Amino acid sequence: MVIRDIREMQDNAADFRAAGKRIAVVPTMGYLHEGHSALIREAKNRADVVITTVFVNPTQFGPGEDFERYPRDLDHDVRIAKNAGAGIVFAPSTDAMYEPHFSSFVLVEKITSVLEGKSRPGHFRGVATVVAKLFHITQPHVAVFGQKDAQQVIVVRRMIRDLNFAVDLVVVPTVREKDGLALSSRNTYLSPQQRQEAVVLYTALSEAQKSIASGTVSSMELVEEMKGMITLHSSGVIDYVSVADAETLEELTALNGHPEILVSLAVRFGQTRLIDNILIERKESNH
Ligand code: PAF
């Protein structure tokens, strides 16, 4: 079932809750791929009703970003969502989500001023705002997000805690192509040459993971190693390569004392900006 009207979605959610059904939401911007299907399947394991939202959210795009050209195909999305187990696709219009004179935003501070937030000012204000709205509209018990957008997960987790949303956050590992490239709707923008080169992102992250496992504790060394690989094997222009504490996103110089580390990067291939990350659990070592 496709629902486009906000009030109708809210009424349906209220009915599900009244009938004792558990609701899971999978927020997306559409153009669904296997990565989204994995989120929807996970949601289906955890709830009676799965709502996939499809909404290209203008407030999380900066001026000059790809809002206009972001790929859209609702029929395709409905098919994929249904096959993966979603009972409802909620696809509101931009005008309904953002009425004239809209002026209420959710601002998660500190962790949004680094990495993606630094490169894309205002991005997480848009994300937090739309996710809060989607929570109010779909009334979920569970929300499923992908690890691919690592900082988004951290920001949404913070918002859920800070604003007392009664929503359990479930994070699903990144789904990758056979050669390691993380699935993303933006991969469709890549030329065949760029597509080949983009494999280096995952190779660089994997190498960093190996270096950490074999005892490297200097993040500068890791960052230099990753930057070197990307520059050598691709035409990609590095936006950032980061080694940070996975909760605070504080950029690290030494890894000791940090049980979970987020190694992440953003690289531009022509007009296309790709992100990827690996979360590394570190058993505290004696190095
Ligand atoms: O990850 C996305 O696709 C978007 O940022 C989200 C969470 C659907 C909010 O628009």
Side-chain angles (χ1 to χ4, degrees):
M1 174 165 58
V2 179
I3 298 180
R4 306 206 65 132
D5 185 70
I6 292 176
R7 192 53 201 251
E8 188 187 339
M9 184 65 256
Q10 276 171 325
D11 289 347
N12 270 270
D15 290 347
F16 291 133
R17 280 190 165 250
K21 304 261 191 241
R22 208 171 150 73
I23 302 173
V25 69
V26 182
T28 82
M29 295 207 300
Y31 217 67
L32 303 186
H33 50 63
E34 183 48 36
H36 298 109
S37 297
L39 305 184
I40 296 169
R41 285 196 296 271
E42 184 61 37
K44 185 69 184 157
N45 287 337
R46 292 172 181 265
D48 304 303
V49 180
V50 176
I51 303 167
T52 301
T53 70
V54 173
F55 180 64
V56 185
N57 174 36
T59 62
Q60 69 188 74
F61 289 80
E65 289 189 356
D66 56 346
F67 173 68
E68 300 295 344
R69 70 178 185 125
Y70 197 86
R72 294 161 170 88
D73 185 347
L74 187 59
D75 291 342
H76 159 92
D77 292 339
V78 171
R79 245 189 343 267
I80 302 270
K82 202 171 149 204
N83 284 342
I88 295 178
V89 172
F90 173 57
S93 70
T94 309
D95 290 351
M97 288 292 275
Y98 294 105
E99 293 180 357
H101 312 300
F102 182 95
S103 29
S104 309
F105 291 89
V106 177
L107 192 57
V108 178
E109 296 188 332
K110 291 193 202 130
I111 49 173
T112 55
S113 61
V114 294
L115 304 174
E116 288 302 287
K118 190 168 175 192
S119 297
R120 306 180 66 189
H123 172 67
F124 287 116
R125 182 179 88 139
V127 170
T129 302
V130 83
V131 171
K133 283 168 70 66
L134 292 170
F135 284 175
H136 287 309
I137 296 167
T138 60
Q139 295 292 310
H141 298 84
V142 183
V144 183
F145 285 82
Q147 177 59 30
K148 162 80 178 9
D149 294 300
Q151 191 175 8
Q152 172 167 281
V153 166
I154 293 164
V155 169
V156 171
R157 183 179 292 130
R158 190 71 261 158
M159 181 189 79
I160 286 175
R161 292 176 70 147
D162 289 352
L163 300 185
N164 308 99
F165 282 96
V167 178
D168 290 336
L169 178 63
V170 172
V171 183
V172 173
T174 303
V175 178
R176 299 181 179 281
E177 302 279 7
K178 278 202 180 64
D179 62 8
L181 180 67
L183 296 196
S184 162
S185 307
R186 291 190 169 100
N187 291 350
T188 52
Y189 300 150
L190 297 171
S191 71
Q193 169 77 20
Q194 291 169 333
R195 166 65 189 82
Q196 272 189 358
E197 291 180 3
V199 178
V200 75
L201 305 189
Y202 185 59
T203 317
L205 290 168
S206 305
E207 286 304 314
Q209 187 166 32
K210 282 186 209 151
S211 298
I212 292 173
S214 60
T216 303
V217 290
S218 152
S219 64
M220 205 154 82
E221 225 175 278
L222 294 167
V223 168
E224 287 315 310
E225 185 187 22
M226 288 188 282
K227 283 186 170 170
M229 281 191 75
I230 295 165
T231 316
L232 187 65
H233 297 290
S234 80
S235 56
V237 177
I238 296 170
D239 185 348
Y240 64 78
V241 172
S242 154
V243 177
D245 179 275
E247 193 185 347
T248 61
L249 292 183
E250 169 205 354
E251 207 58 40
L252 301 179
T253 44
L255 309 189
N256 283 341
H258 300 273
E260 219 180 9
I261 291 163
L262 181 70
V263 183
S264 64
L265 45 78
V267 177
R268 271 176 213 287
F269 289 87
Q271 298 265 74
T272 309
R273 187 171 174 282
L274 299 182
I275 58 171
D276 200 353
N277 71 86
I278 294 192
L279 201 54
I280 298 173
E281 293 209 15
R282 265 186 93 250
K283 291 186 197 66
E284 201 44 64
S285 69
N286 302 316
H287 295 290

